[in-house]
Amino acid sequence: MTVTLDAADVFALGPAGAVAAVREALAGGLDPDGDVPRAVVPLAHGQGLLMPSESGGWFGVKVATVAPGNAARGLRRINATYLLHDSATLTPVALLDGVALTTLRTPAVSVAAGLDRLRALAAGGRGLRLVVFGAGPQGEGHVAAVRAHVPVADVTVVTRREGPVPGWAGRRLAAADGGAAASVRRADVVVTATSAREPVLDGRLVRDGAVVLAVGSHEPDARELDSALMGRATVVVESRATALREAGDVVMAIHEGSLDPDDLVTLADPTGWRGDVPADRPLVVKTCGMGWQDLVVAVAAHRRKEGPPAERS
């Protein structure tokens, strides 16, 4: 029987549950470089994305669409559905809300990779100062995921134009406002979750030891972070192959001579991102989104709803 998990069912896993699912999968030996690359299908009014993955006795696939013109219609830019199967029989077991799944798993990967640094910054109970570029669901999701693991003292959201302050932030600034630059200088954590194709901040402003979580770009010719930041940071990516194919922040920094691809730290190497990462350099976690992330979080959400096999009716 195929069960349905709506958005509320998916979000019920919570940020902490999603982060735990990601870290447990990586600790168990999941290698992101072994994942199947997503297929991007050009469509008349946007893109279709197919994201399959198999691991740990499960197979799943997300079908997503990106329609840039939907904002003007008052509709969601991204829509998605996720179908989870049992690997042994290839029987579909769950149909999940793909938008909720993406909203939950993306910050989970960011925080899973940066958690040790976040905890070090928050040592002694000091609340962290966050600056978030982008007022959409991913900005909100990253704040929630950070809050689920460390105390947060202050959240500033930065957008291209002024507007109402989201309920999850303390203030909102326009990018051109001088206060935005000052906020970046003070920030412990900077999140970039935008649709920008050019850098949204001056990387020289990011202080040594800060964490930067960048999720907006997943095309080789679009980036949110400049080479000044990428060249002085420890850069963590999901997989080297994915980053070199899809992460414009990485690709353009390499082309400009600021970043060496051999210096990238991947999630398959926990000694890199959970080990001896220099504390006197910014830590950049640059993700593009991969199928294994949807899979491990979908499985965790499914298990939470259905319970262990022995408990299922």
Side-chain angles (χ1 to χ4, degrees), residues 217-269:
S217 164
H218 56 85
E219 298 174 76
D221 59 350
R223 62 178 172 181
E224 298 175 297
L225 307 180
D226 62 17
S227 289
L229 175 58
M230 300 297 280
R232 57 185 277 255
T234 299
V235 180
V236 179
V237 296
E238 296 138 304
S239 87
R240 184 170 283 102
T242 297
L244 296 178
R245 183 176 61 246
E246 301 179 9
D249 313 70
V250 170
V251 171
M252 285 189 268
I254 291 172
H255 286 171
E256 292 168 3
S258 299
L259 182 64
D260 188 326
D262 291 337
D263 290 336
L264 296 172
V265 178
T266 71
L267 292 184
D269 180 14

Short mmCIF file of all heavy atoms in Angstrom, two decimals, residues 217-269:
data_model
loop_
_atom_site.label_atom_id
_atom_site.label_comp_id
_atom_site.label_asym_id
_atom_site.label_seq_id
_atom_site.Cartn_x
_atom_site.Cartn_y
_atom_site.Cartn_z
N SER A 217 22.45 28.91 -5.83
CA SER A 217 22.92 28.63 -7.20
C SER A 217 23.11 27.15 -7.42
O SER A 217 23.71 26.45 -6.60
CB SER A 217 24.24 29.36 -7.46
OG SER A 217 24.89 28.82 -8.59
N HIS A 218 22.60 26.64 -8.55
CA HIS A 218 22.91 25.26 -8.94
C HIS A 218 23.15 25.18 -10.45
O HIS A 218 22.86 24.18 -11.10
CB HIS A 218 21.79 24.30 -8.52
CG HIS A 218 20.43 24.68 -9.04
ND1 HIS A 218 19.99 24.32 -10.29
CD2 HIS A 218 19.44 25.40 -8.48
CE1 HIS A 218 18.77 24.79 -10.48
NE2 HIS A 218 18.41 25.45 -9.40
N GLU A 219 23.71 26.26 -10.99
CA GLU A 219 24.10 26.30 -12.40
C GLU A 219 25.53 26.82 -12.47
O GLU A 219 25.93 27.67 -11.68
CB GLU A 219 23.17 27.23 -13.19
CG GLU A 219 21.71 26.77 -13.21
CD GLU A 219 20.83 27.81 -13.88
OE1 GLU A 219 20.85 27.89 -15.12
OE2 GLU A 219 20.11 28.53 -13.15
N PRO A 220 26.33 26.34 -13.44
CA PRO A 220 27.74 26.70 -13.48
C PRO A 220 28.02 28.16 -13.79
O PRO A 220 29.13 28.64 -13.55
CB PRO A 220 28.31 25.78 -14.57
CG PRO A 220 27.14 25.42 -15.41
CD PRO A 220 25.97 25.36 -14.48
N ASP A 221 27.02 28.88 -14.33
CA ASP A 221 27.23 30.29 -14.66
C ASP A 221 26.45 31.23 -13.75
O ASP A 221 26.25 32.39 -14.09
CB ASP A 221 26.87 30.54 -16.13
CG ASP A 221 25.42 30.18 -16.45
OD1 ASP A 221 24.76 29.56 -15.59
OD2 ASP A 221 24.96 30.51 -17.55
N ALA A 222 26.04 30.75 -12.59
CA ALA A 222 25.34 31.60 -11.61
C ALA A 222 25.98 31.38 -10.24
O ALA A 222 26.31 30.25 -9.86
CB ALA A 222 23.86 31.25 -11.56
N ARG A 223 26.18 32.47 -9.51
CA ARG A 223 26.79 32.34 -8.18
C ARG A 223 26.27 33.42 -7.24
O ARG A 223 25.84 34.50 -7.68
CB ARG A 223 28.31 32.44 -8.27
CG ARG A 223 28.85 33.77 -8.80
CD ARG A 223 30.37 33.76 -8.80
NE ARG A 223 30.94 34.93 -9.46
CZ ARG A 223 32.24 35.14 -9.61
NH1 ARG A 223 33.10 34.26 -9.11
NH2 ARG A 223 32.68 36.21 -10.23
N GLU A 224 26.31 33.12 -5.96
CA GLU A 224 25.96 34.08 -4.91
C GLU A 224 27.19 34.59 -4.17
O GLU A 224 27.15 35.64 -3.53
CB GLU A 224 25.02 33.44 -3.90
CG GLU A 224 23.69 32.98 -4.46
CD GLU A 224 22.87 32.24 -3.42
OE1 GLU A 224 23.33 31.17 -2.95
OE2 GLU A 224 21.79 32.74 -3.07
N LEU A 225 28.28 33.83 -4.24
CA LEU A 225 29.51 34.15 -3.50
C LEU A 225 30.63 34.50 -4.47
O LEU A 225 30.78 33.86 -5.52
CB LEU A 225 29.94 32.96 -2.64
CG LEU A 225 28.88 32.39 -1.70
CD1 LEU A 225 29.45 31.20 -0.92
CD2 LEU A 225 28.35 33.46 -0.74
N ASP A 226 31.42 35.50 -4.12
CA ASP A 226 32.50 35.93 -5.02
C ASP A 226 33.79 35.15 -4.76
O ASP A 226 33.92 34.42 -3.77
CB ASP A 226 32.72 37.43 -4.91
CG ASP A 226 33.15 37.90 -3.52
OD1 ASP A 226 33.59 37.06 -2.70
OD2 ASP A 226 33.03 39.11 -3.24
N SER A 227 34.74 35.35 -5.63
CA SER A 227 36.02 34.64 -5.53
C SER A 227 36.83 35.10 -4.33
O SER A 227 37.65 34.32 -3.81
CB SER A 227 36.83 34.83 -6.81
OG SER A 227 36.25 34.12 -7.89
N ALA A 228 36.62 36.34 -3.90
CA ALA A 228 37.35 36.82 -2.73
C ALA A 228 37.06 35.96 -1.51
O ALA A 228 37.97 35.65 -0.72
CB ALA A 228 36.98 38.28 -2.45
N LEU A 229 35.81 35.56 -1.35
CA LEU A 229 35.44 34.70 -0.22
C LEU A 229 35.86 33.26 -0.47
O LEU A 229 36.45 32.62 0.41
CB LEU A 229 33.93 34.77 0.01
CG LEU A 229 33.39 33.83 1.09
CD1 LEU A 229 34.05 34.09 2.44
CD2 LEU A 229 31.87 33.95 1.21
N MET A 230 35.59 32.75 -1.67
CA MET A 230 35.90 31.35 -1.94
C MET A 230 37.40 31.07 -1.82
O MET A 230 37.82 29.99 -1.40
CB MET A 230 35.40 30.96 -3.33
CG MET A 230 33.90 31.13 -3.53
SD MET A 230 32.90 30.09 -2.46
CE MET A 230 32.99 28.54 -3.35
N GLY A 231 38.23 32.06 -2.16
CA GLY A 231 39.66 31.88 -2.12
C GLY A 231 40.25 31.86 -0.73
O GLY A 231 41.34 31.31 -0.53
N ARG A 232 39.55 32.44 0.26
CA ARG A 232 40.10 32.48 1.61
C ARG A 232 39.38 31.55 2.57
O ARG A 232 39.71 31.50 3.76
CB ARG A 232 40.04 33.91 2.16
CG ARG A 232 38.66 34.54 2.18
CD ARG A 232 38.71 35.99 2.64
NE ARG A 232 38.73 36.12 4.07
CZ ARG A 232 37.67 36.51 4.80
NH1 ARG A 232 36.52 36.82 4.22
NH2 ARG A 232 37.78 36.59 6.11
N ALA A 233 38.43 30.78 2.05
CA ALA A 233 37.60 29.93 2.91
C ALA A 233 37.97 28.46 2.76
O ALA A 233 38.58 28.04 1.78
CB ALA A 233 36.12 30.12 2.55
N THR A 234 37.59 27.68 3.77
CA THR A 234 37.50 26.23 3.62
C THR A 234 36.16 25.96 2.97
O THR A 234 35.11 26.35 3.51
CB THR A 234 37.58 25.52 4.97
OG1 THR A 234 38.83 25.81 5.60
CG2 THR A 234 37.43 24.02 4.80
N VAL A 235 36.16 25.33 1.80
CA VAL A 235 34.94 25.14 1.02
C VAL A 235 34.50 23.68 1.08
O VAL A 235 35.23 22.79 0.62
CB VAL A 235 35.12 25.58 -0.44
CG1 VAL A 235 33.82 25.38 -1.23
CG2 VAL A 235 35.56 27.05 -0.50
N VAL A 236 33.33 23.45 1.65
CA VAL A 236 32.75 22.11 1.75
C VAL A 236 31.66 21.97 0.70
O VAL A 236 30.79 22.84 0.58
CB VAL A 236 32.17 21.86 3.15
CG1 VAL A 236 31.54 20.46 3.23
CG2 VAL A 236 33.24 22.01 4.22
N VAL A 237 31.70 20.88 -0.07
CA VAL A 237 30.70 20.63 -1.11
C VAL A 237 30.13 19.22 -0.92
O VAL A 237 30.74 18.37 -0.27
CB VAL A 237 31.30 20.78 -2.52
CG1 VAL A 237 31.76 22.21 -2.77
CG2 VAL A 237 32.45 19.79 -2.74
N GLU A 238 28.96 18.97 -1.52
CA GLU A 238 28.35 17.65 -1.41
C GLU A 238 29.23 16.59 -2.05
O GLU A 238 29.51 15.55 -1.46
CB GLU A 238 26.99 17.65 -2.11
CG GLU A 238 25.98 18.58 -1.48
CD GLU A 238 25.19 19.33 -2.54
OE1 GLU A 238 25.82 20.00 -3.38
OE2 GLU A 238 23.95 19.24 -2.51
N SER A 239 29.64 16.84 -3.27
CA SER A 239 30.55 15.96 -3.98
C SER A 239 31.37 16.82 -4.93
O SER A 239 30.90 17.85 -5.41
CB SER A 239 29.80 14.87 -4.75
OG SER A 239 29.42 15.30 -6.04
N ARG A 240 32.60 16.38 -5.19
CA ARG A 240 33.46 17.17 -6.07
C ARG A 240 32.88 17.22 -7.49
O ARG A 240 32.84 18.28 -8.12
CB ARG A 240 34.87 16.59 -6.06
CG ARG A 240 35.87 17.41 -6.88
CD ARG A 240 37.30 16.95 -6.67
NE ARG A 240 37.84 17.44 -5.39
CZ ARG A 240 37.96 16.69 -4.29
NH1 ARG A 240 37.57 15.43 -4.29
NH2 ARG A 240 38.47 17.20 -3.18
N ALA A 241 32.39 16.09 -7.97
CA ALA A 241 31.86 16.05 -9.34
C ALA A 241 30.66 16.96 -9.49
O ALA A 241 30.53 17.69 -10.48
CB ALA A 241 31.50 14.62 -9.71
N THR A 242 29.77 16.93 -8.51
CA THR A 242 28.58 17.78 -8.58
C THR A 242 28.96 19.25 -8.53
O THR A 242 28.44 20.08 -9.29
CB THR A 242 27.62 17.45 -7.43
OG1 THR A 242 27.18 16.09 -7.57
CG2 THR A 242 26.40 18.36 -7.44
N ALA A 243 29.89 19.59 -7.64
CA ALA A 243 30.30 21.00 -7.51
C ALA A 243 30.94 21.50 -8.79
O ALA A 243 30.66 22.62 -9.24
CB ALA A 243 31.26 21.14 -6.34
N LEU A 244 31.77 20.69 -9.40
CA LEU A 244 32.46 21.12 -10.62
C LEU A 244 31.52 21.17 -11.82
O LEU A 244 31.80 21.84 -12.81
CB LEU A 244 33.63 20.19 -10.92
CG LEU A 244 34.75 20.18 -9.88
CD1 LEU A 244 35.84 19.19 -10.26
CD2 LEU A 244 35.34 21.58 -9.69
N ARG A 245 30.38 20.49 -11.71
CA ARG A 245 29.41 20.48 -12.80
C ARG A 245 28.34 21.56 -12.62
O ARG A 245 27.88 22.16 -13.59
CB ARG A 245 28.75 19.10 -12.87
CG ARG A 245 27.75 18.91 -14.01
CD ARG A 245 27.22 17.49 -14.05
NE ARG A 245 26.50 17.12 -12.84
CZ ARG A 245 26.91 16.19 -11.97
NH1 ARG A 245 28.03 15.52 -12.19
NH2 ARG A 245 26.21 15.92 -10.88
N GLU A 246 27.94 21.84 -11.37
CA GLU A 246 26.74 22.64 -11.13
C GLU A 246 26.93 23.88 -10.27
O GLU A 246 26.08 24.78 -10.32
CB GLU A 246 25.66 21.76 -10.47
CG GLU A 246 25.25 20.55 -11.29
CD GLU A 246 24.20 19.71 -10.60
OE1 GLU A 246 23.65 20.15 -9.56
OE2 GLU A 246 23.88 18.61 -11.08
N ALA A 247 27.95 23.94 -9.46
CA ALA A 247 28.09 25.03 -8.49
C ALA A 247 28.84 26.21 -9.08
O ALA A 247 30.08 26.22 -9.09
CB ALA A 247 28.79 24.53 -7.22
N GLY A 248 28.13 27.20 -9.56
CA GLY A 248 28.77 28.36 -10.16
C GLY A 248 29.71 29.07 -9.21
O GLY A 248 30.75 29.60 -9.63
N ASP A 249 29.37 29.10 -7.92
CA ASP A 249 30.25 29.72 -6.92
C ASP A 249 31.63 29.07 -6.96
O ASP A 249 32.65 29.75 -6.84
CB ASP A 249 29.65 29.55 -5.52
CG ASP A 249 28.18 29.90 -5.44
OD1 ASP A 249 27.36 29.15 -6.00
OD2 ASP A 249 27.85 30.93 -4.84
N VAL A 250 31.66 27.75 -7.12
CA VAL A 250 32.92 27.01 -7.17
C VAL A 250 33.55 27.11 -8.55
O VAL A 250 34.75 27.43 -8.69
CB VAL A 250 32.67 25.52 -6.82
CG1 VAL A 250 33.90 24.67 -7.10
CG2 VAL A 250 32.24 25.39 -5.36
N VAL A 251 32.77 26.86 -9.59
CA VAL A 251 33.29 26.83 -10.96
C VAL A 251 33.95 28.14 -11.34
O VAL A 251 35.07 28.16 -11.88
CB VAL A 251 32.16 26.49 -11.95
CG1 VAL A 251 32.63 26.65 -13.39
CG2 VAL A 251 31.64 25.07 -11.72
N MET A 252 33.29 29.26 -11.05
CA MET A 252 33.84 30.55 -11.47
C MET A 252 35.04 30.96 -10.63
O MET A 252 35.98 31.58 -11.14
CB MET A 252 32.75 31.61 -11.45
CG MET A 252 31.80 31.45 -12.63
SD MET A 252 30.62 32.82 -12.82
CE MET A 252 29.27 32.17 -11.87
N ALA A 253 35.05 30.57 -9.34
CA ALA A 253 36.22 30.86 -8.51
C ALA A 253 37.44 30.09 -9.02
O ALA A 253 38.57 30.61 -9.01
CB ALA A 253 35.93 30.52 -7.06
N ILE A 254 37.23 28.86 -9.48
CA ILE A 254 38.34 28.07 -10.04
C ILE A 254 38.83 28.71 -11.34
O ILE A 254 40.03 28.87 -11.56
CB ILE A 254 37.88 26.62 -10.28
CG1 ILE A 254 37.66 25.91 -8.95
CG2 ILE A 254 38.90 25.86 -11.13
CD1 ILE A 254 37.04 24.54 -9.07
N HIS A 255 37.89 29.11 -12.21
CA HIS A 255 38.27 29.73 -13.48
C HIS A 255 39.01 31.03 -13.26
O HIS A 255 39.88 31.41 -14.07
CB HIS A 255 37.03 29.98 -14.33
CG HIS A 255 36.46 28.73 -14.93
ND1 HIS A 255 35.25 28.67 -15.59
CD2 HIS A 255 36.95 27.45 -14.96
CE1 HIS A 255 35.02 27.44 -15.99
NE2 HIS A 255 36.04 26.69 -15.63
N GLU A 256 38.70 31.74 -12.18
CA GLU A 256 39.36 33.01 -11.89
C GLU A 256 40.66 32.82 -11.11
O GLU A 256 41.33 33.81 -10.76
CB GLU A 256 38.39 33.92 -11.13
CG GLU A 256 37.22 34.38 -12.01
CD GLU A 256 36.09 35.05 -11.22
OE1 GLU A 256 36.24 35.21 -9.99
OE2 GLU A 256 35.07 35.40 -11.84
N GLY A 257 41.02 31.58 -10.82
CA GLY A 257 42.29 31.29 -10.17
C GLY A 257 42.30 31.49 -8.67
O GLY A 257 43.38 31.48 -8.06
N SER A 258 41.14 31.63 -8.06
CA SER A 258 41.08 31.86 -6.62
C SER A 258 40.93 30.59 -5.81
O SER A 258 41.17 30.59 -4.59
CB SER A 258 39.90 32.79 -6.29
OG SER A 258 40.05 34.04 -6.91
N LEU A 259 40.52 29.49 -6.45
CA LEU A 259 40.21 28.26 -5.74
C LEU A 259 40.80 27.08 -6.51
O LEU A 259 40.68 27.01 -7.73
CB LEU A 259 38.69 28.11 -5.61
CG LEU A 259 38.14 26.90 -4.85
CD1 LEU A 259 38.57 26.94 -3.39
CD2 LEU A 259 36.61 26.86 -4.96
N ASP A 260 41.41 26.16 -5.78
CA ASP A 260 41.96 24.94 -6.38
C ASP A 260 40.96 23.81 -6.15
O ASP A 260 40.55 23.56 -5.01
CB ASP A 260 43.29 24.59 -5.71
CG ASP A 260 44.02 23.45 -6.39
OD1 ASP A 260 43.34 22.54 -6.92
OD2 ASP A 260 45.26 23.46 -6.39
N PRO A 261 40.53 23.11 -7.20
CA PRO A 261 39.54 22.04 -7.01
C PRO A 261 40.02 20.96 -6.05
O PRO A 261 39.21 20.31 -5.39
CB PRO A 261 39.33 21.49 -8.43
CG PRO A 261 40.47 22.00 -9.25
CD PRO A 261 40.87 23.29 -8.62
N ASP A 262 41.34 20.77 -5.94
CA ASP A 262 41.86 19.77 -5.01
C ASP A 262 41.68 20.17 -3.56
O ASP A 262 41.81 19.33 -2.65
CB ASP A 262 43.34 19.52 -5.28
CG ASP A 262 43.58 18.80 -6.61
OD1 ASP A 262 42.64 18.13 -7.09
OD2 ASP A 262 44.68 18.94 -7.17
N ASP A 263 41.38 21.45 -3.31
CA ASP A 263 41.20 21.93 -1.94
C ASP A 263 39.76 21.78 -1.46
O ASP A 263 39.46 22.04 -0.28
CB ASP A 263 41.62 23.40 -1.82
CG ASP A 263 43.13 23.57 -1.95
OD1 ASP A 263 43.86 22.59 -1.68
OD2 ASP A 263 43.57 24.68 -2.34
N LEU A 264 38.85 21.40 -2.36
CA LEU A 264 37.46 21.21 -1.95
C LEU A 264 37.36 20.05 -0.96
O LEU A 264 37.97 19.00 -1.13
CB LEU A 264 36.58 20.91 -3.17
CG LEU A 264 36.46 22.02 -4.21
CD1 LEU A 264 35.71 21.51 -5.43
CD2 LEU A 264 35.75 23.25 -3.62
N VAL A 265 36.57 20.25 0.08
CA VAL A 265 36.31 19.21 1.08
C VAL A 265 34.93 18.64 0.79
O VAL A 265 33.96 19.38 0.66
CB VAL A 265 36.35 19.78 2.51
CG1 VAL A 265 36.03 18.69 3.53
CG2 VAL A 265 37.71 20.41 2.80
N THR A 266 34.82 17.32 0.67
CA THR A 266 33.54 16.71 0.32
C THR A 266 32.89 16.08 1.55
O THR A 266 33.56 15.73 2.54
CB THR A 266 33.71 15.63 -0.77
OG1 THR A 266 34.37 14.48 -0.20
CG2 THR A 266 34.50 16.16 -1.95
N LEU A 267 31.60 15.86 1.46
CA LEU A 267 30.87 15.25 2.57
C LEU A 267 31.23 13.78 2.76
O LEU A 267 30.94 13.21 3.81
CB LEU A 267 29.35 15.37 2.34
CG LEU A 267 28.78 16.79 2.42
CD1 LEU A 267 27.26 16.74 2.27
CD2 LEU A 267 29.14 17.46 3.74
N ALA A 268 31.85 13.18 1.76
CA ALA A 268 32.29 11.79 1.90
C ALA A 268 33.50 11.68 2.81
O ALA A 268 33.87 10.58 3.23
CB ALA A 268 32.61 11.19 0.53
N ASP A 269 34.13 12.80 3.14
CA ASP A 269 35.33 12.81 3.98
C ASP A 269 35.02 13.50 5.30
O ASP A 269 35.27 14.70 5.46
CB ASP A 269 36.47 13.54 3.26
CG ASP A 269 37.75 13.58 4.09
OD1 ASP A 269 37.82 12.82 5.10
OD2 ASP A 269 38.65 14.36 3.76
#
